[in-house]
Amino acid sequence: MVGAETLAGDPGFFLRNAWLIALLPFLSGVLTLTLGKRTPGKGPVYGIAALGSALVLSLGVLWHFVQGGGPAGAELRWFEIGPLQMTLGQYVDGLTAVMLVVVTSISLCVHIYSLGYMHGDVRFTWFYVVLSVFTGAMLNVVIADNLFQLLLGWEVMGVCSYLLIGHWWEEKANSNAAMKAFLTTRVGDIPFMFGIFALVLATGTTTSNIHVIGEKVAAGGVSGPLVAAAALLLFGGTIGKSAQVPLHVWLPDAMAGPTPVSALIHAATMVAAGVYLVGRLYEVFVHADAWVLQVVGVIGGITMLGAALLALVQDDIKKVLAYSTISQLAYMVAGMSMGPAGRTAGFFHLFTHAFFKALLFLGAGSVIHAVHSNDMKEMGGLREEMPLTFWTFLVGSLALAGVPPLAGFWSKDELLVVASEHHPVLFAVLLATAILTAFYMTRAVLMTFFGSFRGHGHPHESPATMTGPLVFLGLASVGVGFLGSPQLGAVFGDWVFFEEPEAAHFVPWVAAVSIGAALLGIAAGWRLYRAYRDPDPVLRLGAFHRLLANRYYVDDAYLNGIVFPIRDRVSAAVYWVNQHVIDRVVNDAARAARTASVGVMAVDRGVIDGAVNGVAGTAGFVGGILRYVQSGNVQRYAAFLFTGLVILAIVFTRV
């Protein structure tokens, strides 16, 4: 960075230029906006080229840590507010490197996939503009070395999510979903911002540098209650962005956006940012009072089980995956509550989940693109018509269910190992959620790809621009899990936390229980849905099904208890102000203007017009006289002359 202050020795080319990884998507967004419509293909080439370059740089950064390299950072002083120094900077460690690879690779797949999925869209170019900026904002969150820079990327992400979810704003449901997502996440962002201010003030630092703050908190020089309060306020941002109870309600409705957007939000950006925040500021959480992490664990436990139950009764394939995302994010949040080993396991699950969840969403998009419906009741029998989509979707489903040797098995196993040692309640909740996950994904696969086709038209396999990313993500969903396996020495933990490896060890009995939970869920799903026909077997749940179908009535409670009363009171207040303040001012102004106009009219007619008319009359009278005098008649001139002489003679005679 030009003019930057280096915080470590020469880090090498890739770490020294890591800031380009976040900058390139922003630049591509600008180029697409200004030149996109005049470019062949209407502009996606800029975003794809930028993300491809960013991925190469990210892999170079990760390779540095694979080789055992250390972290590096740089900062550039921006401006000062009193004693507080505002900076722009980067800090790259193993955690940053892994997240950079995740975000750039998933975003690149989404950019390529969108070539086919969004083809012919009326706002095709604008879609790629916002998609690029959205990715750049997430990369800024990942690479930022200070809280205010992180907050900037955090808020830009929120704006972009509103634009992407509401991309097809012509339908009211889509615009409502975008507004719901924006406002709900803002509720979480308010305590997050206060948490930043509280943390800076509590530590007495002149900078918001994350690592300086972490060192001060770890040193014990900060009041415990203040640290606890700051940690809880910061966690509010995680609850909002990562859709945890009670702010989980926005994420299922966000499925109104284009499917590539859903894949990016659920796999690598937005919702992942909340979990990343806890991990990046872990010194604050781990050195707060013990009950703070207990609160984090309770929120995670309630969310993972509650969301998994909701996924059981969804007919919209994207909403099944949406509730699955909420549940799996809660897995990660719960991991964060279980100490350093849990943090490593949580991040490993974040890493593996990104690939198979992106695979599942893009696979769902391929199906929707073929059948023109999100409803699984209008699908069925697609494995023969769409074999590539089927096999890749199956891989993603098995990975999510935790079937070995796929990626999800290894990361879930690490979480279960940590929970089994010190957190028996969380262990039970994690295990129950694993069974439910395997069940609802089996249900989704069977309803979508098996049996006979229940929809309309002639489904067909998607184009190569859509199936290519599916193949890549399918292979990744098989391979990336081995980075946490004992066969490879659980190298993921070494890369991410190179100073103190914190990876969980492999426990055979826990692995056996994990596999058993997955097989139990799959067997139950196969038993009920192998020959699916209406009515849906989940309807047998009766009153409990109604509870789940109505999403525990949480949305209704928000609407009837908060939204509608506030809306009605605000509407009444606005009406009163309009009637008694604005209208009164306007009416009084109108009356004053009317009165003034009458006076002006009187002055105009009586004074100005009178003066003008008087001058005109006088001029006319004088002109008439002059015209009479200057008539050109010699006899008249002689008479005037004679009269004048007579008058003069009389005057002089009297004198």
Side-chain angles (χ1 to χ4, degrees):
M1 297 177 69
V2 179
E5 181 180 339
T6 303
L7 305 180
D10 186 9
F13 173 81
F14 290 106
L15 264 69
R16 192 165 52 249
N17 295 287
W19 57 275
L20 283 172
I21 299 171
L23 183 62
L24 284 171
F26 285 115
L27 292 178
S28 72
V30 173
L31 288 174
T32 306
L33 180 64
T34 55
L35 305 175
K37 290 188 176 180
R38 296 189 294 273
T39 303
K42 297 185 177 180
V45 62
Y46 300 113
I48 293 173
L51 266 298
S53 302
L55 177 58
V56 172
L57 289 171
S58 300
L59 290 171
V61 170
L62 181 60
W63 182 247
H64 170 84
F65 294 99
V66 172
Q67 293 182 310
E75 64 180 9
L76 180 67
R77 288 188 175 85
W78 190 10
F79 61 90
E80 295 181 358
I81 303 177
L84 185 62
Q85 298 178 357
M86 305 296 289
T87 63
L88 294 174
Q90 67 172 42
Y91 183 82
V92 184
D93 58 6
L95 177 58
T96 306
V98 169
M99 289 298 299
L100 290 175
V101 171
V102 168
V103 176
T104 54
S105 59
I106 300 299
S107 184
L108 178 60
C109 287
V110 170
H111 274 70
I112 296 172
Y113 181 93
S114 299
L115 291 172
Y117 193 90
M118 300 299 293
H119 179 73
D121 187 85
V122 294
R123 289 181 290 274
F124 183 81
T125 300
W126 174 246
F127 174 83
Y128 271 94
V129 171
V130 184
L131 199 65
S132 295
V133 175
F134 188 52
T135 302
M138 179 62 189
L139 291 169
N140 180 74
V141 168
V142 171
I143 208 168
D145 73 338
N146 65 85
L147 291 172
F148 290 119
Q149 184 180 338
L150 186 151
L151 179 62
L152 178 62
W154 188 277
E155 294 302 323
V156 172
M157 231 184 343
V159 174
C160 290
S161 69
Y162 169 77
L163 296 173
L164 290 169
I165 294 169
H167 181 75
W168 293 317
W169 52 264
E170 292 88 349
E171 295 185 24
K172 187 172 177 57
N174 298 343
S175 58
N176 287 343
M179 184 61 69
K180 184 177 182 178
F182 185 78
L183 293 178
T184 305
T185 54
R186 294 287 75 70
V187 172
D189 289 351
I190 293 172
F192 174 52
M193 287 187 285
F194 278 106
I196 291 175
F197 298 138
L199 199 56
V200 173
L201 292 173
T203 54
T205 57
T206 58
T207 175
S208 64
N209 186 281
I210 295 171
H211 308 286
V212 172
I213 290 174
E215 290 172 359
K216 286 185 175 291
V217 172
V222 185
S223 168
L226 285 176
V227 176
L232 287 178
L233 289 169
L234 292 169
F235 187 58
T238 297
I239 290 175
K241 276 289 193 290
S242 294
Q244 301 295 285
V245 169
L247 299 181
H248 64 286
V249 295
W250 69 270
L251 193 57
D253 289 354
M255 297 304 97
T259 301
V261 173
S262 302
L264 191 57
I265 289 177
H266 286 250
T269 59
M270 191 87 170
V271 297
V275 179
Y276 175 80
L277 174 69
V278 176
R280 177 53 76 196
L281 294 168
Y282 202 66
E283 292 291 345
V284 177
F285 286 87
V286 80
H287 287 96
D289 294 338
W291 60 268
V292 172
L293 284 181
Q294 291 173 359
V295 170
V296 173
V298 169
I299 295 294
I302 294 172
T303 304
M304 75 171 76
L305 191 57
L309 287 169
L310 290 175
L312 297 179
V313 301
Q314 303 302 314
D315 294 327
D316 186 321
I317 189 171
K318 288 177 67 176
K319 287 192 175 182
V320 173
L321 300 178
Y323 282 112
S324 169
T325 297
I326 297 173
S327 182
Q328 296 304 305
L329 288 168
Y331 252 81
M332 306 165 202
V333 170
M336 298 293 171
S337 73
M338 295 187 293
R343 176 175 67 154
T344 302
F347 267 118
F348 187 40
H349 195 54
L350 175 64
F351 174 68
T352 62
H353 176 265
F355 293 98
F356 58 74
K357 184 52 61 72
L359 171 62
L360 288 170
F361 266 106
L362 296 185
S366 180
V367 171
I368 294 168
H369 186 264
V371 303
H372 306 289
S373 174
N374 290 25
D375 193 342
M376 294 187 296
K377 291 181 178 179
E378 299 178 1
M379 300 175 186
L382 297 179
R383 72 182 189 277
E384 296 178 358
E385 303 295 336
M386 307 177 68
L388 191 56
T389 299
F390 163 66
W391 284 110
T392 53
F393 192 91
L394 181 62
V395 168
S397 300
L398 293 174
L400 178 58
V403 175
L406 303 177
F409 165 75
W410 299 106
S411 55
K412 284 188 177 182
D413 181 71
E414 283 198 14
L415 286 165
L416 287 169
V417 167
V418 177
S420 69
E421 294 176 343
H422 306 290
H423 306 273
V425 176
L426 270 181
F427 178 79
V429 176
L430 287 164
L431 204 60
T433 304
I435 296 171
L436 293 172
T437 302
F439 176 85
Y440 65 67
M441 288 311 303
T442 302
R443 173 178 179 264
V445 170
L446 294 175
M447 288 182 67
T448 303
F449 294 100
F450 286 76
S452 56
F453 182 58
R454 300 177 296 273
H456 306 283
H458 303 281
H460 54 83
E461 188 62 270
S462 299
T465 53
M466 296 173 64
T467 56
L470 295 181
V471 173
F472 168 77
L473 292 170
L475 294 173
S477 299
V478 175
V480 297
F482 288 102
L483 298 176
S485 69
Q487 290 81 2
L488 294 182
V491 295
F492 180 87
D494 296 337
W495 296 351
V496 175
F497 304 110
F498 47 87
E499 294 177 347
E500 43 177 338
E502 300 167 342
H505 51 281
F506 184 79
V507 179
W509 77 265
V510 174
V513 171
S514 176
I515 296 170
L519 294 178
L520 178 61
I522 292 171
W526 178 264
R527 174 72 175 81
L528 293 174
Y529 287 92
R530 68 182 186 278
Y532 170 76
R533 67 180 74 85
D534 283 332
D536 194 322
V538 295
L539 293 173
R540 301 172 191 172
L541 296 172
F544 189 57
H545 176 271
R546 288 192 296 275
L547 178 66
L548 297 178
N550 288 283
R551 301 185 284 191
Y552 307 117
Y553 299 97
V554 173
D555 288 75
D556 294 334
Y558 281 149
L559 290 173
N560 296 322
I562 299 175
V563 176
F564 291 159
I566 292 176
R567 184 191 65 182
D568 293 343
R569 286 174 172 79
V570 170
S571 299
V574 170
Y575 179 79
W576 188 91
V577 171
N578 181 65
Q579 293 293 314
H580 296 87
V581 179
I582 299 175
D583 281 0
R584 185 171 180 178
V585 170
V586 172
N587 293 334
D588 289 348
R591 281 192 290 269
R594 227 164 121 189
T595 303
S597 67
V598 172
V600 170
M601 187 170 63
V603 172
D604 180 65
R605 291 180 178 178
V607 180
I608 299 175
D609 284 357
V612 172
N613 293 334
V615 171
T618 301
F621 176 74
V622 173
I625 295 175
L626 293 175
R627 282 195 303 273
Y628 180 79
V629 174
Q630 297 290 336
S631 64
N633 190 313
V634 177
Q635 291 86 349
R636 191 174 294 175
Y637 291 158
F640 288 151
L641 179 61
F642 178 76
T643 302
L645 290 173
V646 170
I647 294 171
L648 287 173
I650 293 172
V651 170
F652 282 113
T653 301
R654 289 187 176 183
V655 173

